[in-house]
Amino acid sequence: MNILVTGGAGFIGSHTVVALANAGFNPIIVDDFSNSEPTVLAGLKNILGYEVPCHIFDCNNYPGMLQILRDEKISGVIHFAAFKAVGESMQEPLAYYRNNLGSLLTLLDAMLAEGISNFIFSSSCTVYGEPDTSPVTEKAPVKPATSVYGQTKQMGEEILRNVAAAKPLKIVALRYFNPIGAHPSALIGELPRGVPSNLVPFVTQAAAGLRDALTIFGDDYPTSDGTCVRDYIHVMDLAEAHVAALRHSIKIVESNFFDTFNLGSGKGNTVLELVRTFEKISGHPLPYHIGARRKGDVIAVWADVQKSYDLLGWHTKRSLEEALEDAWRWQQRLGDR
Ligand code: UD1
């Protein structure tokens, strides 16, 4: 089956391309390279042994999208293409609404015109805000978003729920917790632009001497060591969950289907635990200091993954150590770029 992967040159998208190909699907990438690099395609070729077709393209272009769905005989779409920087989303709300929601509407229109029903959407645990308890299940209330980025994910889910109720679509929304790591070959991985705002790319860059000390944002939270708790998931585990979600969607016989799934490890780790684990696997102390809390950070969130296990038959296979080893190998391969 030919599967369109929008944002397929991005961090999670590129790893999902590998997982799809490993599972016998034919991934076809659409990416405008606005937040990714064409070098990813060479990495994919090295891993897979063939060139993955790639259309350099903005998903907001309806006639173009229709043409690709038709020409490539697409049977399902995994939609990653979106802006994802929380801070930037507050500065450029229109760009975020236009890109994240506009491309979603365009794709859905084109899929309906072509009679394609299988759709996998990248959502986020950010929809839970500060949950009342963790592990958090998919039944937990969706809390008002504190960023425009978060809002585009919540609104995306709502749009999909409403469209699936009215139109012949089978939609799976995947709520990612904190994806980290890289392909074990170190041929693909995360390529943050500028100073990373996410924890693990900052840690690996600081360890490589490219950044000054890590600032840990607050150590006075009500957690075991005072730092925030997150559910870190290896990007290859996350990628494999997309294959499981796609298979689930293909198996569903009802034509108006929408459901949400948590994708996490099911375990919570504090920032300090992650730092200590990184120091252990890299063999070096990591320079860090404690700073002020970061505005908008939730205290603790980790996933209840029972539903994903029961219905998708998926669970994580890789440990935090493996994820950090792979992230570190990738950083060492990148050198000082
Ligand atoms: C958040 C969102 C996630 C979204 C992502 C996009 C939540 C729970 N998660 O992830 O859905 O996809 O942003 O970027 O809302 N930290 C430091 N120092 C640093 C960087 C981070 O201490 O330099 C800490 C943070 O305070 C946090 C943890 O590390 O406790 C993870 O931070 P980060 O990697 O940015 O991810 P989230 O903020 O959890």
Side-chain angles (χ1 to χ4, degrees):
M1 287 175 81
N2 296 352
I3 306 300
L4 194 76
V5 185
T6 76
F11 176 42
I12 308 172
S14 58
H15 291 79
T16 300
V17 165
V18 172
L20 282 168
N22 287 344
F25 291 96
N26 301 320
I28 288 136
I29 296 173
V30 169
D31 205 299
D32 66 359
F33 293 104
S34 62
N35 197 21
S36 56
E37 293 184 15
T39 51
V40 171
L41 301 177
L44 288 172
K45 188 177 175 191
N46 262 320
I47 294 170
L48 298 175
Y50 73 94
E51 215 158 287
V52 178
C54 176
H55 298 266
I56 303 174
F57 206 75
D58 179 348
C59 296
N60 263 313
N61 177 334
Y62 178 74
M65 195 48 72
L66 207 56
Q67 192 73 40
I68 292 174
L69 293 179
R70 223 176 261 161
D71 292 352
E72 297 282 11
K73 301 188 171 48
I74 297 296
S75 306
V77 176
I78 306 185
H79 180 43
F80 293 103
F83 293 154
K84 60 174 184 183
V86 174
E88 185 188 59
S89 75
M90 305 306 284
Q91 311 299 322
E92 299 296 340
L94 274 176
Y96 270 69
Y97 289 124
R98 188 177 298 112
N99 190 50
N100 293 9
L101 299 177
S103 64
L104 181 63
L105 301 179
T106 305
L107 257 178
L108 291 171
D109 268 337
M111 285 177 62
L112 286 169
E114 285 303 298
I116 301 164
S117 59
N118 301 301
F119 188 74
I120 313 296
F121 178 65
S122 301
S123 187
S124 166
C125 69
T126 196
V127 301
Y128 299 120
E130 183 75 69
D132 301 333
T133 53
S134 275
V136 66
T137 72
E138 292 82 352
K139 290 203 180 87
V142 166
K143 300 264 177 83
T146 53
S147 72
V148 171
Y149 160 79
Q151 239 170 32
T152 65
K153 293 299 169 190
Q154 289 189 1
M155 291 163 92
E157 283 196 9
E158 277 313 298
I159 289 168
L160 291 169
R161 193 187 302 277
N162 295 335
V163 175
K167 301 288 176 186
L169 289 165
K170 299 185 290 180
I171 298 175
V172 180
L174 301 175
R175 293 173 173 170
Y176 309 154
F177 283 67
N178 288 54
I180 60 166
H183 190 267
S185 66
L187 289 164
I188 55 171
E190 197 167 1
L191 284 171
R193 290 245 159 110
V195 182
S197 56
N198 292 116
L199 178 62
V200 170
F202 197 101
V203 164
T204 57
Q205 290 192 9
L210 304 176
R211 305 274 165 216
D212 293 338
L214 167 76
T215 303
I216 293 183
F217 298 138
D219 70 345
D220 57 350
Y221 286 102
T223 62
S224 61
D225 59 23
T227 63
C228 294
V229 178
R230 296 287 184 275
D231 184 334
Y232 296 95
I233 171 173
H234 194 298
V235 67
M236 281 309 299
D237 278 325
L238 190 67
E240 287 163 7
H242 289 75
V243 176
L246 180 66
R247 289 197 167 124
H248 184 66
S249 153
I250 292 166
K251 269 196 308 215
I252 296 287
V253 280
E254 65 190 276
S255 66
N256 302 95
F257 177 83
F258 174 84
D259 208 354
T260 55
F261 292 92
N262 284 344
L263 299 184
S265 70
K267 290 194 247 354
N269 282 103
T270 67
V271 177
L272 270 172
E273 282 167 353
L274 185 139
V275 167
R276 300 276 175 255
T277 309
F278 182 80
E279 289 179 323
K280 200 174 71 190
I281 63 104
S282 69
H284 297 288
L286 185 84
Y288 73 84
H289 61 261
I290 306 295
R293 291 182 176 197
R294 181 171 69 177
K295 195 169 164 282
D297 268 345
V298 305
I299 304 165
V301 60
W302 69 95
D304 184 310
V305 287
Q306 194 62 43
K307 182 178 172 188
S308 296
Y309 183 67
D310 291 345
L311 299 184
L312 304 181
W314 168 90
H315 60 94
T316 56
K317 297 185 187 129
R318 298 155 181 95
S319 63
L320 179 64
E321 283 80 2
E322 275 173 272
L324 292 174
E325 269 164 22
D326 290 337
W328 183 222
R329 194 178 304 115
W330 166 245
Q331 179 63 55
Q332 287 170 301
R333 181 166 170 271
L334 279 179
D336 61 358
R337 53 140 300 169

